[in-house]
Amino acid sequence: MAEVHETPHHSDDVQQHLREVQAALARHKVVEELVHRQEMPKHELVENLVHKQHLAELATRLDKLHPADIAYILEALPLDERLEVWDLVKAERDGEILLEVSDAVRESLIETMDQAELVAAAEQLDADELADLAPDLPKQVMEDVYLGLDAEAREQLRAAMSYPEDSVGALMDFDMVTVREDVSLEAVLRYLRRFDELPDHTDLLFVIDRKERLRGVLPVGRLLINDPDVVVSDIMLTEHLTLEPGDSADEAAMAFERYDLVSAPVVDSHHRLLGRLTVASVLDFVRESSEAELLGQAGLKEEEDIFAPIVDSVKNRWRWLAINLVTAFIASRVIGAFEGSIQKLVALAALMPIVAGIGGNSGNQTITMIVRAIAMGQVAAEHGKRLFRKEIGVALFNGIVWGGLLGLAAILLYRDIKLGMVLTAAMTLNLLLAAFMGVAIPMTLMRFGKDPAVGSSVLITAVTDSGGFLIFLGLATLILL
Amino acid sequence: MAEVHETPHHSDDVQQHLREVQAALARHKVVEELVHRQEMPKHELVENLVHKQHLAELATRLDKLHPADIAYILEALPLDERLEVWDLVKAERDGEILLEVSDAVRESLIETMDQAELVAAAEQLDADELADLAPDLPKQVMEDVYLGLDAEAREQLRAAMSYPEDSVGALMDFDMVTVREDVSLEAVLRYLRRFDELPDHTDLLFVIDRKERLRGVLPVGRLLINDPDVVVSDIMLTEHLTLEPGDSADEAAMAFERYDLVSAPVVDSHHRLLGRLTVASVLDFVRESSEAELLGQAGLKEEEDIFAPIVDSVKNRWRWLAINLVTAFIASRVIGAFEGSIQKLVALAALMPIVAGIGGNSGNQTITMIVRAIAMGQVAAEHGKRLFRKEIGVALFNGIVWGGLLGLAAILLYRDIKLGMVLTAAMTLNLLLAAFMGVAIPMTLMRFGKDPAVGSSVLITAVTDSGGFLIFLGLATLILL
């Protein structure tokens, strides 16, 4: 995409843009309030003009901004102001901006657009961009857009939409420069001069044969440092990372990080060049998946529009709360089973949350570390025994030190040596349980080919809560009563 | 860096490398065991040869791998095997590999190297790479290396080490191509042909004047599509993201994402060109900071070498456990204050963890969402009121629905309508407390210029635990007893 927009000179500038837009909106609002509240019919005309002038100024300002910056501003504005700004954005820029905003904000914008506006916005986009937007567009809109595409774009769109979300196919684009291997660099340079612009991130030219099969890649750097007489095949690289559309985006991203790539070719099973993956898509993917993981850990299904209506927030969060309610209820029934013991020794009620809580924290540490290591590909099934040994060692140490300390505190508080000893023993046992499950849960999920990041934390907390209460109250009942 | 190494054809290949290295180590181990256990002196010589041959094969294989792949293999191997492989790596590659491994693994490797080996390894590196490694090297080693540098490299090293860890200065490198604005593209092309290779990620040539001040940037794409007669100043861009070394790396990374950049110039306050930031460093930074955040949420200070000795793990984790012990102890004392009430109505003991637990979960959802939004720059101080209103709405809804459900369950279980009503009321109040603190804690930390991601989760859980017990047991004492 040609960037004719004002790219900020400095990374703070986008904050500056936001403040300016907010100030312009505020001015506009003051005028509007004057018109509406004070009802000055005489001045109405004048103020209406002032008002229109403010909006026109704002529109001009927005025209100059990069689509990503407008997206940023839209995300940072509450719904009413967001829609006001959205109305001021030129229709032909709607598509590129919709691509940049977060899912939740995109939804709020699409809701306000009619069929014709959406079709017009979508028609501005490339096939791979369209594929990203497609799930959020009404079906009728996509059908209209599809009919307007040429055969190649239809094929690309169909291909891009057919790959699962976390695959290379879903992230690749089709913008690239291809050359033949038997031509001189001189010819390549002449060929490039016929372009109006090169696709973004063109650090490689792709060398293909007549059947579109990838023969190698020609780094632009090599094109520049070599003599124009040299032939492409003499300096092209044949050993270079080549992806297939079905490859996992996560592994591709790690390869980009490891080898510091800017772009990589994507080929089909016959080694025909389909498209390419660029570091820009990889960077977006890495950011988005780590965001999703952070949100997922707190049980948020997706990034929330912080200005979303209450009902949207409730929908985004209810699943996790429901699951936790069930696990909390189970833990509560475990306690319920020992009500007799608690009645006899009420100190148990005060001490039991400590056993459960510390177990949960420690288990979460273990599981987080192992889930991370699995994600980085550092854990193999045969490491299980070694990991168990280590975590159990850590748990024993912590149980004796922290559990001992707490036991001492309990003895001092309740003047009951046996109670303190039971507390220490229960804490150690619950830490051992946490360590064991902290290794076993992700390793088992991995063995069954499931993503260990999903739900690990709920599971471990459920185990250490109910387990902690059971161990502590059970031991106390056996030994103290 | 010239990549003469075998870059994998496919992103899975590195896993393949790892398996091969592990197989080679296993073969080697079998031979070793034969030699040691069965004590066959006759064959010893033969087996020693076989053994040496295995190691030589492995060394040859390692030679061909990309340093990042060797780093990956080292991280995935338990300590003893890791050191065995490390011994086989050619000394002149030690530096680049040390750069690639995680901090914890780096430490384990450096511990086994002597002064001379470390100096030799460090001398292979560029100034910016050396700056990354410096904190992990013994002081004496750094002094030796420093003495071996030329004046320019010393200056660069000093500069790179003087910037805080999360600044652009700490991430930038000094590898770049500069040109003058009054020359033709023909001249630029001739100049570039004199290079043996261009620095990685050279998508921009930097246009500087005689005083080294940055005048603009010339995208390589523009160099390629324009006529050789054109003069640099006619086609260079003067509006382009320009960073300063003191800029926050986080904001720079977001700018790279927004504008899909590959590299950006770094200038001093006089606009003199100091270096550049590349997307490779940005990608590493984004991955590392999201890792750190994920680990931090579970209270792990840093990425742990999963094969680390127990004592290292204990050190990495104890702080968080200590803090949680204190908060759990406080919650326990809150319960302790109501022991009389619990003794009278022991159902309270079984129900109270539900109130505290759901409050904690809900509070963590709120705080995670707001911390994310603050990190993305979407929250301004003046949004506070609006956010409070929304979160309190969500909490009220959840309190009435989920709290009502639980209240019903309590009524059925304990045949006590008043108890159920107290439970519902306590849950709603604790959810309101969680919502209020979930907004207030990060907004307050933000207002005081602190990073809201640090410690938010501990704080909210502490509040909802003690608060939940206090509210539920307090209400019960007032109403039921």
Side-chain angles (χ1 to χ4, degrees), chain A residues 58-73:
Chain A
L58 188 51
T60 317
R61 186 182 296 280
L62 290 171
D63 274 353
K64 286 198 209 133
L65 293 182
H66 190 285
D69 289 336
I70 300 185
Y72 174 86
I73 289 169

Side-chain angles (χ1 to χ4, degrees), chain A residues 53 75 140 147:
Chain A
Q53 195 189 322
E75 286 173 4
Q140 189 57 47
L147 292 175

Side-chain angles (χ1 to χ4, degrees), chain B residues 58-280:
Chain B
L58 188 51
T60 318
R61 187 181 296 277
L62 290 171
D63 274 353
K64 287 197 210 131
L65 293 182
H66 190 285
D69 289 335
I70 300 184
Y72 174 85
I73 289 169
L74 291 170
E75 285 173 6
L77 290 175
L79 194 62
D80 46 348
E81 298 182 7
R82 181 187 298 160
L83 296 181
E84 220 167 324
V85 170
W86 183 234
D87 276 343
L88 295 177
V89 170
K90 281 214 185 107
E92 71 259 30
R93 301 190 66 196
D94 284 358
E96 54 183 9
I97 295 166
L98 285 177
L99 270 184
E100 299 274 355
V101 294
S102 70
D103 287 356
V105 171
R106 184 187 290 168
E107 222 172 274
S108 75
L109 297 177
I110 286 179
E111 269 173 19
T112 69
M113 296 169 74
D114 63 28
Q115 166 103 0
E117 285 173 322
L118 284 171
V119 171
E123 280 173 352
Q124 307 288 328
L125 302 175
D126 291 340
D128 63 301
E129 296 169 330
L130 208 45
D132 292 342
L133 206 56
D136 295 322
L137 292 175
K139 217 175 150 211
Q140 189 57 46
V141 170
M142 276 311 292
E143 279 168 16
D144 275 19
V145 173
Y146 187 78
L147 292 175
L149 295 177
D150 61 29
E152 194 194 358
R154 282 184 190 185
E155 186 42 52
Q156 290 175 341
L157 177 59
R158 207 157 30 204
M161 290 184 62
S162 68
Y163 300 113
E165 207 184 331
D166 286 351
S167 71
V168 166
L171 298 183
M172 70 179 176
D173 67 60
F174 306 103
D175 253 6
M176 54 200 169
V177 181
T178 56
V179 294
R180 287 285 155 79
E181 62 182 316
D182 54 0
V183 298
S184 68
L185 300 190
E186 176 69 48
V188 172
L189 289 171
R190 255 187 287 121
Y191 170 62
L192 294 179
R193 284 194 195 110
R194 299 218 305 260
F195 279 76
D196 287 331
E197 56 176 331
L198 298 186
D200 270 357
H201 299 96
T202 298
D203 70 319
L204 301 176
L205 309 183
F206 300 114
V207 185
I208 54 173
D209 66 15
R210 273 194 207 147
K211 289 186 168 156
E212 306 233 303
R213 280 179 307 217
L214 184 70
R215 305 278 302 156
V217 300
L218 174 60
V220 167
R222 289 199 168 202
L223 170 65
L224 287 170
I225 59 169
N226 278 287
D227 203 80
D229 308 334
V230 172
V231 173
V232 168
S233 59
D234 290 342
I235 58 161
M236 71 182 189
L237 301 175
T238 51
E239 295 276 342
H240 188 274
L241 183 81
T242 304
L243 300 164
E244 293 189 15
D247 287 347
S248 120
D250 209 41
E251 275 177 29
M254 281 199 258
F256 266 70
E257 275 179 72
R258 264 205 297 276
Y259 312 125
D260 292 345
L261 303 179
V262 174
S263 72
V266 182
V267 299
D268 68 10
S269 55
H270 305 295
H271 219 66
R272 270 193 305 252
L273 183 65
L274 291 176
R276 59 169 193 161
L277 185 64
T278 67
V279 69

Side-chain angles (χ1 to χ4, degrees), chain A residues 7-12 14 66 68-69 72 75-76 78 189 192-193 195-198 201 220-221 224-226 228 238-242 247 251 254 257-260 262 280 283 287 290-291 293-295 297-300 304-308 310 313-314 317 320-322 324-325 328-329 332-333 335 339 342-343 346-347 349-350 352-354 358 361 365-366 368-369 372-373 376-379 383 386-387 390-391 393-394 397-398 402 406 413-414, chain B residues 7-12 14 66 68-69 72 75-76 78 189 192-193 195-198 201 220-221 224-226 228 238-242 247 251 254 257-260 262 280 283 287 290-291 293-295 297-300 304-308 310 313-314 317 320-322 324-325 328-329 332-333 335 339 342-343 346-347 349-350 352-354 358 361 364-366 368-369 372-373 376-379 383 386-387 390-391 393-394 397-398 402 406 413-414:
Chain A
T7 356
H9 241 148
H10 192 274
S11 53
D12 282 344
V14 63
H66 190 285
D69 289 336
Y72 174 86
E75 286 173 4
L189 289 171
L192 293 179
R193 284 194 195 111
F195 279 75
D196 287 331
E197 55 175 332
L198 297 186
H201 300 96
V220 167
L224 287 170
I225 60 169
N226 278 285
T238 52
E239 295 276 340
H240 187 272
L241 182 82
T242 304
D247 287 348
E251 275 177 29
M254 281 199 258
E257 276 179 72
R258 264 205 296 275
Y259 312 125
D260 293 345
V262 173
L283 190 53
R287 173 78 79 175
S290 69
E291 282 294 301
E293 208 170 330
L294 273 164
L295 294 171
Q297 278 196 342
L300 297 161
E304 212 171 275
D305 173 3
I306 53 165
F307 302 111
I310 290 174
S313 296
V314 168
R317 308 184 193 174
W320 179 266
L321 288 179
N324 274 293
L325 210 62
F329 192 75
S332 160
R333 294 329 301 144
I335 300 171
E339 276 175 5
I342 292 173
Q343 200 137 35
V346 75
M352 67 189 184
I354 302 182
I358 302 297
N361 285 313
Q365 290 186 328
T366 301
T368 301
M369 190 205 65
R372 293 286 77 215
M376 306 305 283
Q378 287 167 8
V379 176
H383 290 146
R386 203 187 280 257
L387 292 173
K390 176 186 153 196
E391 289 303 319
V394 174
F397 178 92
N398 282 334
W402 298 117
L406 269 183
L413 271 168
Y414 293 98
Chain B
T7 356
H9 241 150
H10 192 275
S11 54
D12 282 344
V14 62
H66 190 285
D69 289 335
Y72 174 85
E75 285 173 6
L189 289 171
L192 294 179
R193 284 194 195 110
F195 279 76
D196 287 331
E197 56 176 331
L198 298 186
H201 299 96
V220 167
L224 287 170
I225 59 169
N226 278 287
T238 51
E239 295 276 342
H240 188 274
L241 183 81
T242 304
D247 287 347
E251 275 177 29
M254 281 199 258
E257 275 179 72
R258 264 205 297 276
Y259 312 125
D260 292 345
V262 174
L283 190 53
R287 173 78 79 175
S290 69
E291 282 294 302
E293 208 170 330
L294 273 164
L295 295 171
Q297 277 196 343
L300 296 162
E304 213 171 273
D305 173 2
I306 54 165
F307 303 111
I310 291 174
S313 296
V314 168
R317 307 182 193 177
W320 179 265
L321 288 178
N324 274 293
L325 211 63
F329 192 76
S332 160
R333 294 329 302 145
I335 301 171
E339 276 174 5
I342 293 172
Q343 199 136 34
V346 76
M352 66 188 186
I354 303 183
I358 302 297
N361 285 313
N364 268 304
Q365 290 186 328
T366 301
T368 302
M369 190 205 64
R372 294 285 78 211
M376 305 306 282
Q378 286 167 8
V379 176
H383 291 147
R386 203 188 281 257
L387 292 173
K390 176 186 154 198
E391 290 302 320
V394 174
F397 178 93
N398 282 334
W402 299 116
L406 268 183
L413 270 169
Y414 292 100

